[in-house]
Tab-separated table of all heavy atoms in Angstrom:
chain	number	residue	atom	x	y	z
A	1	ASP	N	6.255	-18.226	2.114
A	1	ASP	CA	4.902	-17.904	2.633
A	1	ASP	C	4.182	-16.991	1.713
A	1	ASP	O	4.775	-16.174	0.885
A	1	ASP	CB	4.904	-17.448	3.978
A	1	ASP	CG	5.036	-18.597	5.021
A	1	ASP	OD1	5.190	-19.678	4.614
A	1	ASP	OD2	5.222	-18.254	6.237
A	2	SER	N	2.855	-16.887	1.860
A	2	SER	CA	2.040	-16.047	0.994
A	2	SER	C	0.907	-15.270	1.818
A	2	SER	O	-0.209	-15.590	1.830
A	2	SER	CB	1.234	-16.948	-0.035
A	2	SER	OG	2.237	-17.664	-0.827
A	3	PRO	N	1.301	-14.335	2.583
A	3	PRO	CA	0.390	-13.533	3.319
A	3	PRO	C	-0.381	-12.583	2.454
A	3	PRO	O	0.091	-12.208	1.420
A	3	PRO	CB	1.259	-12.783	4.368
A	3	PRO	CG	2.592	-12.641	3.625
A	3	PRO	CD	2.713	-13.859	2.789
A	4	ARG	N	-1.491	-12.136	3.001
A	4	ARG	CA	-2.311	-11.034	2.318
A	4	ARG	C	-2.386	-9.825	3.303
A	4	ARG	O	-2.869	-9.965	4.475
A	4	ARG	CB	-3.677	-11.554	1.983
A	4	ARG	CG	-4.493	-10.482	1.113
A	4	ARG	CD	-5.819	-10.962	0.759
A	4	ARG	NE	-6.825	-10.836	1.861
A	4	ARG	CZ	-8.127	-10.917	1.634
A	4	ARG	NH1	-8.616	-10.931	0.377
A	4	ARG	NH2	-8.929	-10.889	2.618
A	5	LEU	N	-2.015	-8.700	2.807
A	5	LEU	CA	-2.152	-7.491	3.539
A	5	LEU	C	-3.457	-6.767	3.274
A	5	LEU	O	-3.930	-6.949	2.108
A	5	LEU	CB	-0.967	-6.558	3.218
A	5	LEU	CG	0.436	-7.095	3.315
A	5	LEU	CD1	1.429	-6.009	3.076
A	5	LEU	CD2	0.710	-7.747	4.747
A	6	SER	N	-3.942	-6.123	4.182
A	6	SER	CA	-5.211	-5.351	4.048
A	6	SER	C	-5.013	-3.903	4.394
A	6	SER	O	-4.237	-3.615	5.277
A	6	SER	CB	-6.358	-5.937	4.862
A	6	SER	OG	-6.620	-7.301	4.595
A	7	CYS	N	-5.757	-3.007	3.720
A	7	CYS	CA	-5.680	-1.566	4.087
A	7	CYS	C	-7.088	-1.043	4.030
A	7	CYS	O	-7.753	-1.007	2.974
A	7	CYS	CB	-4.809	-0.891	3.048
A	7	CYS	SG	-4.839	0.974	3.281
A	8	ILE	N	-7.636	-0.713	5.178
A	8	ILE	CA	-8.888	-0.026	5.301
A	8	ILE	C	-8.659	1.495	5.134
A	8	ILE	O	-7.790	1.996	5.927
A	8	ILE	CB	-9.578	-0.413	6.586
A	8	ILE	CG1	-9.841	-1.877	6.687
A	8	ILE	CG2	-10.881	0.365	6.760
A	8	ILE	CD1	-10.422	-2.334	8.098
A	9	VAL	N	-9.419	2.095	4.323
A	9	VAL	CA	-9.315	3.538	4.156
A	9	VAL	C	-10.471	4.114	4.798
A	9	VAL	O	-11.632	3.890	4.523
A	9	VAL	CB	-9.213	3.910	2.690
A	9	VAL	CG1	-9.089	5.442	2.515
A	9	VAL	CG2	-8.178	3.157	1.964
A	10	ARG	N	-10.242	5.152	5.589
A	10	ARG	CA	-11.238	5.893	6.272
A	10	ARG	C	-11.249	7.324	5.929
A	10	ARG	O	-10.186	7.968	5.767
A	10	ARG	CB	-11.070	5.710	7.858
A	10	ARG	CG	-11.224	4.353	8.337
A	10	ARG	CD	-10.885	4.132	9.786
A	10	ARG	NE	-11.079	2.802	10.262
A	10	ARG	CZ	-10.487	2.262	11.329
A	10	ARG	NH1	-9.702	2.960	12.082
A	10	ARG	NH2	-10.830	0.994	11.703
A	11	GLY	N	-12.461	7.957	5.832
A	11	GLY	CA	-12.508	9.446	5.596
A	11	GLY	C	-12.776	9.740	4.141
A	11	GLY	O	-12.950	10.890	3.893
A	12	THR	N	-12.750	8.805	3.243
A	12	THR	CA	-13.036	9.086	1.830
A	12	THR	C	-13.469	7.843	1.128
A	12	THR	O	-13.102	6.775	1.582
A	12	THR	CB	-11.836	9.747	1.132
A	12	THR	OG1	-12.207	10.276	-0.205
A	12	THR	CG2	-10.732	8.689	0.914
A	13	ASP	N	-14.179	7.937	0.042
A	13	ASP	CA	-14.615	6.822	-0.779
A	13	ASP	C	-13.540	6.539	-1.782
A	13	ASP	O	-13.166	7.409	-2.564
A	13	ASP	CB	-15.913	7.263	-1.455
A	13	ASP	CG	-16.404	6.100	-2.346
A	13	ASP	OD1	-15.768	5.034	-2.485
A	13	ASP	OD2	-17.554	6.282	-2.901
A	14	ILE	N	-13.029	5.217	-1.787
A	14	ILE	CA	-11.953	4.905	-2.683
A	14	ILE	C	-12.402	4.465	-4.027
A	14	ILE	O	-11.543	4.159	-4.845
A	14	ILE	CB	-11.009	3.833	-2.067
A	14	ILE	CG1	-11.759	2.460	-2.051
A	14	ILE	CG2	-10.606	4.172	-0.691
A	14	ILE	CD1	-10.844	1.273	-1.704
A	15	SER	N	-13.642	4.430	-4.318
A	15	SER	CA	-14.151	3.701	-5.487
A	15	SER	C	-13.610	4.400	-6.813
A	15	SER	O	-13.521	3.807	-7.874
A	15	SER	CB	-15.655	3.778	-5.531
A	15	SER	OG	-16.173	5.038	-5.513
A	16	MET	N	-13.302	5.752	-6.738
A	16	MET	CA	-12.780	6.448	-7.889
A	16	MET	C	-11.303	6.736	-7.796
A	16	MET	O	-10.761	7.558	-8.584
A	16	MET	CB	-13.606	7.757	-8.198
A	16	MET	CG	-15.072	7.499	-8.391
A	16	MET	SD	-15.277	6.398	-9.836
A	16	MET	CE	-14.694	7.461	-11.147
A	17	ALA	N	-10.666	6.210	-6.800
A	17	ALA	CA	-9.293	6.532	-6.478
A	17	ALA	C	-8.281	5.557	-7.027
A	17	ALA	O	-8.621	4.429	-7.261
A	17	ALA	CB	-9.123	6.620	-4.981
A	18	VAL	N	-7.098	6.104	-7.339
A	18	VAL	CA	-5.989	5.205	-7.622
A	18	VAL	C	-5.284	4.867	-6.326
A	18	VAL	O	-4.960	5.811	-5.571
A	18	VAL	CB	-5.036	6.010	-8.593
A	18	VAL	CG1	-3.729	5.091	-8.796
A	18	VAL	CG2	-5.662	6.309	-9.865
A	19	MET	N	-5.146	3.598	-6.079
A	19	MET	CA	-4.614	3.096	-4.837
A	19	MET	C	-3.264	2.483	-5.043
A	19	MET	O	-3.008	1.758	-6.056
A	19	MET	CB	-5.533	2.140	-4.172
A	19	MET	CG	-6.871	2.708	-3.761
A	19	MET	SD	-6.701	3.968	-2.409
A	19	MET	CE	-5.760	3.082	-1.223
A	20	GLY	N	-2.346	2.657	-4.069
A	20	GLY	CA	-1.000	2.069	-4.145
A	20	GLY	C	-0.562	1.408	-2.831
A	20	GLY	O	-1.005	1.824	-1.838
A	21	TRP	N	0.186	0.398	-3.038
A	21	TRP	CA	0.988	-0.228	-1.993
A	21	TRP	C	2.392	0.172	-1.993
A	21	TRP	O	2.996	0.086	-3.258
A	21	TRP	CB	0.798	-1.717	-1.975
A	21	TRP	CG	-0.425	-2.262	-1.265
A	21	TRP	CD1	-1.598	-2.569	-1.934
A	21	TRP	CD2	-0.699	-2.451	0.027
A	21	TRP	NE1	-2.542	-2.978	-1.026
A	21	TRP	CE2	-1.986	-2.943	0.227
A	21	TRP	CE3	0.035	-2.192	1.217
A	21	TRP	CZ2	-2.541	-3.191	1.395
A	21	TRP	CZ3	-0.515	-2.474	2.419
A	21	TRP	CH2	-1.799	-3.018	2.589
A	22	TYR	N	3.114	0.533	-0.965
A	22	TYR	CA	4.412	0.935	-0.933
A	22	TYR	C	5.134	0.096	0.182
A	22	TYR	O	4.433	-0.502	0.999
A	22	TYR	CB	4.545	2.382	-0.600
A	22	TYR	CG	3.799	3.389	-1.502
A	22	TYR	CD1	2.407	3.503	-1.447
A	22	TYR	CD2	4.495	4.167	-2.442
A	22	TYR	CE1	1.726	4.306	-2.354
A	22	TYR	CE2	3.816	5.018	-3.287
A	22	TYR	CZ	2.391	5.056	-3.165
A	22	TYR	OH	1.763	5.981	-4.091
A	23	ARG	N	6.425	0.096	0.121
A	23	ARG	CA	7.155	-0.485	1.245
A	23	ARG	C	8.471	0.242	1.534
A	23	ARG	O	8.952	0.913	0.590
A	23	ARG	CB	7.387	-1.961	0.858
A	23	ARG	CG	8.519	-2.207	-0.124
A	23	ARG	CD	8.721	-3.728	-0.474
A	23	ARG	NE	9.760	-4.006	-1.343
A	23	ARG	CZ	10.070	-5.150	-1.817
A	23	ARG	NH1	9.300	-6.192	-1.394
A	23	ARG	NH2	11.026	-5.399	-2.630
A	24	GLN	N	8.925	0.130	2.605
A	24	GLN	CA	10.179	0.708	3.105
A	24	GLN	C	10.971	-0.282	3.937
A	24	GLN	O	10.555	-0.650	4.990
A	24	GLN	CB	9.936	2.030	3.880
A	24	GLN	CG	11.271	2.810	4.178
A	24	GLN	CD	11.010	4.150	4.707
A	24	GLN	OE1	9.932	4.540	5.147
A	24	GLN	NE2	11.984	5.054	4.607
A	25	ALA	N	12.010	-0.675	3.330
A	25	ALA	CA	12.991	-1.611	3.998
A	25	ALA	C	13.922	-0.840	4.900
A	25	ALA	O	14.166	0.359	4.638
A	25	ALA	CB	13.748	-2.425	2.930
A	26	PRO	N	14.477	-1.474	5.862
A	26	PRO	CA	15.460	-0.795	6.822
A	26	PRO	C	16.548	-0.154	5.950
A	26	PRO	O	17.233	-0.781	5.213
A	26	PRO	CB	15.963	-1.960	7.711
A	26	PRO	CG	14.892	-2.977	7.710
A	26	PRO	CD	14.305	-2.861	6.259
A	27	GLY	N	16.828	1.179	6.276
A	27	GLY	CA	17.900	1.868	5.617
A	27	GLY	C	17.672	2.227	4.248
A	27	GLY	O	18.555	2.741	3.540
A	28	LYS	N	16.489	1.966	3.676
A	28	LYS	CA	16.157	2.314	2.321
A	28	LYS	C	15.049	3.238	2.179
A	28	LYS	O	14.179	3.488	3.162
A	28	LYS	CB	15.849	1.056	1.509
A	28	LYS	CG	17.044	0.065	1.372
A	28	LYS	CD	16.701	-1.099	0.500
A	28	LYS	CE	17.858	-1.951	0.304
A	28	LYS	NZ	17.550	-3.154	-0.602
A	29	GLN	N	14.855	3.924	1.046
A	29	GLN	CA	13.772	4.849	0.778
A	29	GLN	C	12.460	4.040	0.503
A	29	GLN	O	12.529	2.847	0.077
A	29	GLN	CB	14.048	5.740	-0.308
A	29	GLN	CG	15.143	6.785	-0.168
A	29	GLN	CD	15.245	7.732	-1.248
A	29	GLN	OE1	14.912	7.451	-2.387
A	29	GLN	NE2	15.702	8.945	-0.931
A	30	ARG	N	11.402	4.683	0.759
A	30	ARG	CA	10.145	4.074	0.502
A	30	ARG	C	9.952	3.940	-1.024
A	30	ARG	O	10.301	4.807	-1.746
A	30	ARG	CB	8.977	4.878	1.060
A	30	ARG	CG	7.663	4.238	1.008
A	30	ARG	CD	6.683	4.721	2.055
A	30	ARG	NE	6.912	6.050	2.603
A	30	ARG	CZ	6.531	6.463	3.831
A	30	ARG	NH1	5.911	5.593	4.609
A	30	ARG	NH2	6.778	7.678	4.198
A	31	GLU	N	9.417	2.773	-1.465
A	31	GLU	CA	9.228	2.483	-2.864
A	31	GLU	C	7.816	1.993	-3.167
A	31	GLU	O	7.218	1.361	-2.389
A	31	GLU	CB	10.282	1.401	-3.330
A	31	GLU	CG	10.155	0.070	-2.722
A	31	GLU	CD	11.160	-0.986	-3.235
A	31	GLU	OE1	11.763	-0.681	-4.214
A	31	GLU	OE2	11.165	-2.005	-2.611
A	32	LEU	N	7.409	2.381	-4.377
A	32	LEU	CA	6.103	1.902	-4.799
A	32	LEU	C	6.146	0.454	-5.236
A	32	LEU	O	7.086	0.130	-6.022
A	32	LEU	CB	5.610	2.756	-5.999
A	32	LEU	CG	4.286	2.480	-6.596
A	32	LEU	CD1	3.178	2.574	-5.629
A	32	LEU	CD2	4.069	3.409	-7.851
A	33	VAL	N	5.214	-0.336	-4.772
A	33	VAL	CA	5.253	-1.757	-5.119
A	33	VAL	C	4.166	-2.112	-6.127
A	33	VAL	O	4.377	-2.927	-7.030
A	33	VAL	CB	4.965	-2.604	-3.780
A	33	VAL	CG1	4.784	-4.024	-4.153
A	33	VAL	CG2	6.100	-2.406	-2.851
A	34	ALA	N	2.928	-1.590	-5.965
A	34	ALA	CA	1.799	-1.934	-6.755
A	34	ALA	C	0.812	-0.809	-6.793
A	34	ALA	O	0.675	-0.104	-5.792
A	34	ALA	CB	1.196	-3.241	-6.382
A	35	VAL	N	0.183	-0.579	-7.978
A	35	VAL	CA	-0.832	0.347	-8.128
A	35	VAL	C	-2.111	-0.221	-8.758
A	35	VAL	O	-1.985	-1.143	-9.651
A	35	VAL	CB	-0.329	1.594	-8.975
A	35	VAL	CG1	-1.442	2.574	-9.291
A	35	VAL	CG2	0.855	2.304	-8.295
């Protein structure tokens, strides 16, 4: 399958920000997926 995740950011303007997606699998440390 091919889902799309969304992330709404509140409280700051993201236009000049570096944004990242991370994930944490069961029993594992959180890891960076995409920037």
Side-chain angles (χ1 to χ4, degrees):
D1 280 356
S2 300
R4 187 179 76 160
L5 307 183
S6 300
C7 172
I8 298 174
V9 182
R10 296 172 176 160
T12 192
D13 179 359
I14 71 167
S15 61
M16 297 303 293
V18 176
M19 295 296 306
W21 278 99
Y22 303 75
R23 71 183 187 184
Q24 187 167 19
K28 296 186 177 181
Q29 289 189 333
R30 188 153 27 206
E31 62 178 350
L32 179 63
V33 174
V35 175

